Amino acid sequence: MKTGHLVPGCKMEDMIEKERLVNQYLEQGNKDAAIKLLFDFVLACAKQGRFEAAEAMRSRIFEIDSMALDEIIRSGEIIEEEKRQAIDSEHRRIWAKLYDSLSVEEANALYFAFKKAAYQAGEIIFKQGEWKPRLYFIDGGQAKIVYFQDDTEVYLKPVRTGQFSGEEAFFSPSICTTTMIAQSRIAAYYLDSDILGVWKTTSPVLESKLQSFVSGAEKISDLLKAKEKDRRRQRRITLGGRAEALLMDSSNNPAVRPFSMDLADISRGGACFVVGIRKRETAALLLGKRLWISYLHPLMGSSQSINQSGTVVGVHFHPFEDCTVNVKFDVPLPRELEVQLEKLSLQALQDVDI
């Protein structure tokens, strides 16, 4: 966006002086001079990014002479062009698909309705159960979408650079059904839903175009339904033993040093582990992380070891105890392995009964 010192004629004191001169010209019956002065003022303010002042002076031209069509049209074109050039180039590159679907006027209306925000890692951007009808566009960094169920934080999906969030609460009057937490430093633009009312008169097609753009993304409501179905469908097999885990970065490169976890239960789609973490803040950092997991039951041969990549989708913190971590596997376990694990679990239960 353009910044810097204002050119002469665009400061507040100059605005007052220009208005005095305009009134003076009008009293003298010199309408043309008043319009030229206002037109030059529009140009000066637009060049410096003072678009509200430029729009106000353009409206003043219309008030003085609604037939001064040349000045009215040209001043409008100048304002729109200066707005277009003022759009941050990196932001426009990230959201090229959206901006390319809009007219110049619509693109300007969208960009200048945005508010900028920055968030630090661990900061809550919006919270489940609160009223915050905003649409967020991530220009840098990564966040995670989670929801809370029976005091357990459940991971839904990541939100990365070039992705958006908050669309369901933004377009329909509803509270947030999920929580969005920054996982790194976030640079974002957001819209408040109040702007939709403004656009109905100034840019009547913009809302539908924006809604069309976001409609291609996976809906949060669908993710929540899928989570519930998945939870009901997967059979959990109670099974113990030690597993080794490696954290993976965004490129799926594993860390050098592994850490240990105790298996609590497992299904074809994922597993629950007990991890020796006693601080809630530390435990929460695992949510959304990618892991490479290696597990071998004591009664299984080395060729039957489980080596799986997955995402931490749930972290349940227990005060004064170790926390439990739920991992969703990228690829389900083979059905025959599931059968074998069930046999081992049943055998362990029988041994306990004996």
Side-chain angles (χ1 to χ4, degrees), residues 134-150:
R134 290 178 177 175
L135 181 58
Y136 293 87
F137 293 74
I138 306 302
D139 274 31
Q142 179 170 315
K144 60 185 178 183
I145 302 294
V146 303
Y147 75 101
F148 292 88
Q149 186 177 50
D150 300 326

Side-chain angles (χ1 to χ4, degrees), residues 88 91 111 114-117 135-137 139 187-191:
D88 182 86
H91 168 79
Y111 183 75
F114 276 130
K115 297 174 184 176
K116 295 181 75 172
L135 181 58
Y136 293 87
F137 293 74
D139 274 31
Y189 288 74
Y190 69 86
L191 296 169

Side-chain angles (χ1 to χ4, degrees), residues 108-127:
N108 291 339
L110 173 66
Y111 183 75
F112 288 97
F114 276 130
K115 297 174 184 176
K116 295 181 75 172
Y119 304 93
Q120 300 302 317
E123 190 172 349
I124 293 175
I125 299 171
F126 58 76
K127 190 175 183 180

Side-chain angles (χ1 to χ4, degrees), residues 56 58 74 84 87 133 151 174 177 184 227 238 320 350:
R58 180 171 179 265
R74 283 173 57 207
R84 186 188 68 80
I87 296 176
D151 296 325
S174 62
T177 56
S184 65
K227 278 286 181 184
T238 302
F320 311 112
Q350 290 173 342

Side-chain angles (χ1 to χ4, degrees), residues 45-229:
C45 289
K47 290 287 185 183
Q48 288 300 319
R50 294 279 308 273
F51 298 117
E52 288 188 10
E55 292 282 7
M57 292 304 103
R58 180 171 179 265
S59 296
R60 187 80 170 95
I61 294 174
F62 189 83
E63 290 173 8
I64 293 171
D65 187 357
S66 61
M67 297 306 292
L69 297 180
D70 184 55
E71 288 80 4
I72 293 170
I73 293 171
R74 283 173 57 207
S75 60
E77 291 173 345
I78 289 168
I79 292 171
E80 292 301 331
E81 176 58 23
E82 290 298 326
K83 281 184 174 181
R84 186 188 68 80
Q85 293 186 26
I87 296 176
D88 182 86
S89 57
E90 179 62 13
H91 168 79
R92 183 162 190 134
R93 182 193 67 78
I94 293 170
W95 300 100
K97 185 176 179 181
L98 171 59
Y99 280 102
D100 288 348
S101 70
L102 307 176
S103 68
V104 172
E105 294 78 10
E106 290 166 344
N108 291 339
L110 173 66
Y111 183 75
F112 288 97
F114 276 130
K115 297 174 184 176
K116 295 181 75 172
Y119 304 93
Q120 300 302 317
E123 190 172 349
I124 293 175
I125 299 171
F126 58 76
K127 190 175 183 180
Q128 183 176 335
E130 74 176 351
W131 172 259
K132 206 169 190 177
R134 290 178 177 175
L135 181 58
Y136 293 87
F137 293 74
I138 306 302
D139 274 31
Q142 179 170 315
K144 60 185 178 183
I145 302 294
V146 303
Y147 75 101
F148 292 88
Q149 186 177 50
D150 300 326
D151 296 325
T152 299
E153 190 174 311
V154 181
Y155 177 84
L156 284 178
K157 68 171 186 175
V159 184
R160 303 185 177 95
T161 300
Q163 296 181 322
F164 50 83
S165 187
E167 64 275 15
E168 292 188 10
F170 179 77
F171 285 109
S172 59
S174 62
I175 62 171
C176 299
T177 56
T178 57
T179 296
M180 182 176 177
I181 305 171
Q183 291 183 287
S184 65
R185 190 180 186 281
I186 294 285
Y189 288 74
Y190 69 86
L191 296 169
D192 283 313
S193 63
D194 294 346
I195 195 63
L196 298 177
V198 176
W199 286 347
K200 287 186 184 303
T201 54
T202 61
S203 303
V205 188
L206 184 50
E207 179 182 351
S208 62
K209 286 188 176 182
L210 185 59
Q211 198 159 13
S212 176
F213 176 77
V214 304
S215 66
E218 193 169 19
K219 291 180 173 60
I220 291 295
S221 56
D222 292 340
L223 284 173
L224 290 169
K225 290 176 184 176
K227 278 286 181 184
E228 181 60 21
K229 288 179 181 177

